[in-house]
Amino acid sequence: MTRYPVKNIKLFYFICGILVAVAALVLGINLLLGGRYVDLTADKKFSLSPQTLELLQRQEATIRLYVSKDMGSSRLAGYASYVRRLLSEYQRKSGGRVRVNIIKVEPFSSSQASAEKAGITPFYPEKNGVPVYFGVSVTNATGRTLAIAHLIPERQKALESDMSRLLSVSAVEKQPRIGVLSSYFRVANEANVLDYAENMPFVKELEARGFKIIPLSPTAAAIPEGIDVVLVFYPLNLGQEAIYALDQYLMWGGKIMMMLDVFSEERFRDLETYISYNSGLRDFLQNSGVSYQENVLVGDNVNSRSSVLDGHYIKYPFWLTVTESHIAKHPITEGIKTLFLNYSGFFDYLPQDNLKMTVLFTTGSNSGLMKAENVAAMDYDKLSEEYVPTNKEYPLALLLEGKFLSLFDRPLIEDRDMLSILPPFLSLPIKEGALLIVGDSDMAAEFLWNDDMTKDTPAFETAFSSDNIYFLQNMLDYLSQSGYVSVPVKREDSVDMSLAAYFYQSAAARYLKSKAQIADKKIIAAQEVAQAGRTLAAVSMPSAKRLKELEQLQRELSAADEALRRIDYQTKENYNDYLSLFAWVTIILLPAVFILAIGVGYRCYEIRIKRKAEEYVK
């Protein structure tokens, strides 16, 4: 039997150990930064969605990822690695039809000028730090370029949704035209170039998703030609001209979405007092079999969010949370998991032979009703006394499709010259139309979908707290038949993330509940401070008591801010602990275990050879 020198065996053993240690280290870094290309997970966490794969079979485009050499933050650098890997999947699964270029941006160079020309703007991840370029642009076959100016880690779950949407929007040259009619809120700029009014934030979000927003006059007797969908946002005391215009629009096969509101929190905050609501649409809705009580709110004792009321921290029944179990399966609700509503009304419906009715979402069965004027008082005792439990499920959104019947039997306008420029009057429909009705306009208010409304961030940069914007997007896609791709946002149970992002999420999960409670208190405190400030501003000589109350409210707001900062600090400390533990396991313990396993295996092999030799000797 040939025996090898002990020295050679030890050298071999040492080299194997080094190789195993290096392999373990590379594997660990790969896992940490998300460098995985084979999806071995049971639920395919690291695979593109069917909607994206279908898009990639018919799309040709160039994706350019602009990344600064100095990202200014380790978290951003880790996220950049994840973005590169996801975009490489786009290129690989498209068969080369979608090309991905990664451009390193250096200060004061041609790469910086190229980034800014494409629509990528700098931002500062650290205070007093260096500006960072981290965005993506998509250029289609005709040279049209669209961009996401900033890629932020908070939107990691929505990255595939945003990218696929951007690709599909770039492929469609004709944007769906959405006419917005609102008799109280300014939700879109007028056509006048001198109109510098700010859009409401949800309008910017819809524009970023490929829709062209056109303001409509609430006094016009006709909807202009070429409008694909009319969005009626918070109709208030609509006149006969507007109702006639909507009625005739339906006769010609138009698509309408109405966001009604028994108690608009936005309007209440603006006026600082409750005024009864009258949409002016009672007869219009009843003509299609829908009834809507404009002075009654619906609440839910279980499916609701928390609030502080008269010093009591309670589950506030009128801050509704609609979950998946109460959302119908429909193209409009595809991928929708959670919707937030504040002070919603509800609908009753009498079936019509000419219309198909779909309930899109409802309250839970632990519901109740209350008059809106009592809610406005925000009195805890009155709430508990006058809230009437009914234990029913109430429809909160209805979709009617088919041939609508006109509310009018003759033209509203009698002036022949005016009639000659309006579309011909129809008492019977010539095409099938659609009418979608929601019981709450606050769904589109920023505080119900923007996770951090203190930041003035452009569209596509918001960390969403609900699916409200995606519901509006899907609704407009469905009604306008836009052809845009809508990819459901990945959830906590199926999120494509690197191990580093998972560690950060695990660290944050420990403080999730307390952070949500403090954030709720902060919002309430901010509202109270703003209210007290407006009250003091209206008084020439405020009393010392009022000033002291304002000072106390400001202290509460500062305390909430400090508590949130403390939670963020603790989250980062926990994250660093996870990374340290992972480093020890990967660099020391894992190689040691591998080396020990090799040693044990070698020792077993040596014993086996020795026994065989003894058998030969015998």
Side-chain angles (χ1 to χ4, degrees):
M1 183 180 66
T2 303
R3 294 188 61 87
Y4 296 97
V6 175
K7 190 181 292 185
N8 291 346
I9 292 173
K10 287 184 176 179
L11 179 63
F12 173 74
Y13 183 36
F14 176 75
I15 292 172
C16 285
I18 292 296
L19 291 175
V20 168
V22 171
L25 183 60
V26 170
L27 175 64
I29 293 172
N30 227 14
L31 287 173
L32 186 66
L33 296 180
R36 291 160 295 200
Y37 288 90
V38 180
D39 190 353
L40 300 177
T41 56
D43 55 354
K44 298 297 180 185
K45 291 181 180 180
F46 308 106
S47 301
L48 296 178
S49 67
Q51 294 92 334
T52 297
L53 293 175
E54 184 184 348
L55 170 67
L56 294 177
Q57 300 310 308
R58 51 186 169 82
Q59 173 73 319
E60 288 193 13
T62 299
I63 299 175
R64 293 181 178 87
L65 175 64
Y66 295 89
V67 186
S68 286
K69 281 197 170 182
D70 180 8
M71 294 299 285
S73 144
S74 58
R75 189 167 177 233
L76 269 180
Y79 185 51
S81 174
Y82 164 73
V83 174
R84 288 191 197 97
R85 182 170 61 84
L86 183 71
L87 294 184
S88 70
E89 283 294 288
Y90 275 79
Q91 180 168 284
R92 191 167 66 88
K93 293 295 175 62
S94 71
R97 282 180 290 272
V98 173
R99 296 164 298 281
V100 176
N101 296 331
I102 298 173
I103 300 171
K104 291 282 188 181
V105 180
E106 296 184 20
F108 311 108
S109 68
S110 59
S111 58
Q112 179 177 321
S114 173
E116 293 179 354
K117 184 178 179 182
I120 313 301
T121 54
F123 64 103
Y124 294 81
E126 307 269 344
K127 286 185 178 179
N128 303 320
V130 296
V132 168
Y133 289 84
F134 183 30
V136 65
S137 72
V138 171
T139 304
N140 67 6
T142 64
R144 181 185 177 204
T145 298
L146 301 174
I148 299 177
H150 307 152
L151 295 173
I152 58 173
E154 288 77 11
R155 283 186 63 81
Q156 179 166 319
K157 294 192 290 292
L159 180 60
E160 185 193 339
S161 173
D162 292 344
M163 280 305 310
S164 296
R165 184 76 181 190
L166 201 64
L167 275 169
S168 66
V169 169
S170 71
V172 177
E173 294 299 330
K174 184 182 179 298
Q175 294 176 282
R177 294 162 61 88
I178 310 302
V180 181
L181 188 154
S182 182
S183 46
Y184 183 79
F185 293 111
R186 292 287 299 279
V187 294
N189 295 335
E190 299 290 342
N192 186 347
V193 294
L194 298 178
D195 177 18
Y196 298 108
E198 287 291 327
N199 286 331
M200 291 186 73
F202 83 90
V203 172
K204 295 179 182 178
E205 293 287 335
L206 294 178
E207 287 175 334
R209 283 156 179 75
F211 301 108
K212 184 173 179 58
I213 304 297
I214 300 170
L216 301 179
S217 170
T219 59
I223 303 299
E225 288 187 21
I227 298 295
D228 296 295
V229 180
V230 173
L231 171 57
V232 183
F233 182 77
Y234 192 72
L236 182 65
N237 296 320
L238 279 185
Q240 285 295 297
E241 292 84 0
I243 295 170
Y244 178 79
L246 296 171
D247 175 274
Q248 289 299 291
Y249 181 65
L250 281 177
M251 295 303 101
W252 289 89
K255 311 293 194 299
I256 299 174
M257 194 243 182
M258 289 184 173
M259 303 190 78
L260 308 172
D261 207 328
V262 173
F263 182 102
S264 167
E265 194 166 346
E266 287 276 290
R267 182 189 180 204
F268 180 77
R269 190 180 296 115
D270 184 32
L271 298 176
E272 300 179 9
T273 184
Y274 173 75
I275 297 177
S276 60
Y277 177 65
N278 175 30
S279 67
L281 290 166
R282 178 182 173 184
D283 294 339
F284 176 84
L285 294 174
Q286 284 189 343
N287 190 52
S288 299
V290 178
S291 62
Y292 179 68
Q293 297 186 48
E294 299 192 339
N295 65 336
V296 178
L297 289 167
V298 62
D300 193 317
N301 294 332
V302 175
N303 301 294
S304 53
R305 306 185 304 285
S306 299
S307 173
V308 178
L309 194 61
D310 287 354
H312 302 272
Y313 198 77
I314 64 167
K315 199 116 170 163
Y316 190 56
F318 302 111
W319 286 4
L320 298 175
T321 298
V322 182
T323 55
E324 214 174 348
S325 57
H326 297 104
I327 299 174
K329 298 294 183 184
H330 191 274
I332 292 177
T333 58
E334 184 178 5
I336 304 298
K337 306 289 184 183
T338 306
L339 295 171
F340 287 169
L341 290 80
N342 274 16
Y343 305 107
S344 177
F346 65 96
F347 302 100
D348 286 320
Y349 180 75
L350 185 64
Q352 308 288 303
D353 293 336
N354 54 312
L355 297 174
K356 174 189 173 185
M357 191 274 293
T358 304
V359 177
L360 294 176
F361 55 86
T362 68
T363 65
S365 57
N366 296 283
S367 299
L369 303 176
M370 189 172 178
K371 289 188 175 180
E373 57 263 29
N374 295 335
V375 175
M378 292 294 284
D379 185 278
Y380 179 73
D381 295 329
K382 186 172 285 188
L383 173 65
S384 56
E385 289 172 9
E386 301 192 19
Y387 180 73
V388 181
T390 56
N391 299 322
K392 290 172 57 180
E393 289 189 2
Y394 291 94
L396 302 175
L398 298 177
L399 173 64
L400 308 177
E401 299 172 285
K403 291 192 172 182
F404 291 80
L405 301 177
S406 178
L407 178 64
F408 300 87
D409 55 7
R410 63 179 184 276
L412 182 69
I413 310 297
E414 296 183 356
D415 187 331
R416 292 194 174 184
D417 293 334
M418 180 66 71
L419 279 175
S420 64
I421 62 175
L422 293 177
F425 170 74
L426 295 175
S427 58
L428 294 174
I430 61 172
K431 290 183 181 179
E432 291 191 351
L435 175 62
L436 195 156
I437 321 166
V438 180
D440 179 37
S441 69
D442 287 325
M443 278 189 72
E446 188 181 16
F447 58 83
L448 285 191
W449 50 262
N450 188 348
D451 213 23
D452 189 357
M453 56 182 293
T454 60
K455 293 180 181 176
D456 184 20
T457 54
F460 275 138
E461 295 171 26
T462 303
F464 290 148
S465 57
S466 71
D467 290 330
N468 289 13
I469 285 294
Y470 289 103
F471 174 76
L472 294 179
Q473 169 188 293
N474 289 357
M475 174 272 299
L476 293 179
D477 280 340
Y478 179 82
L479 294 179
S480 67
Q481 299 179 343
S482 69
Y484 292 146
V485 170
S486 182
V487 178
V489 176
K490 288 183 169 65
R491 303 294 156 181
E492 298 298 335
D493 57 349
S494 62
V495 60
D496 183 359
M497 64 168 63
S498 65
L499 199 57
Y502 173 75
F503 284 160
Y504 191 85
Q505 198 174 77
S506 300
R510 296 178 59 181
Y511 307 101
L512 207 57
K513 186 175 179 181
S514 57
K515 188 173 183 179
Q517 292 174 346
I518 294 170
D520 286 344
K521 290 179 181 179
K522 179 184 173 182
I523 291 173
I524 294 166
Q527 291 174 351
E528 290 177 347
V529 167
Q531 172 70 25
R534 286 193 291 266
T535 303
L536 287 176
V539 180
S540 56
M541 285 291 290
S543 65
K545 181 182 177 182
R546 287 290 178 88
L547 289 172
K548 196 169 184 179
E549 288 174 354
L550 177 59
E551 184 181 356
Q552 179 60 31
L553 290 172
Q554 288 172 332
R555 280 191 190 133
E556 291 175 7
L557 182 59
S558 298
D561 273 330
E562 181 61 32
L564 288 175
R565 283 195 293 271
R566 194 181 307 116
I567 286 177
D568 287 339
Y569 175 77
Q570 290 169 335
T571 299
K572 289 175 182 175
E573 288 295 303
N574 287 342
Y575 172 66
N576 290 333
D577 291 342
Y578 285 139
L579 286 183
S580 299
L581 180 61
F582 179 81
W584 280 104
V585 169
T586 302
I587 298 171
I588 297 176
L589 293 183
L590 191 59
V593 169
F594 283 166
I595 292 170
L596 182 63
I598 292 172
V600 169
Y602 177 76
R603 181 60 182 158
C604 291
Y605 174 75
E606 206 174 40
I607 292 172
R608 185 164 173 263
I609 294 296
K610 185 177 180 181
R611 284 178 180 173
K612 281 195 174 185
E614 289 174 352
E615 288 175 7
Y616 289 141
V617 170
K618 290 178 181 179

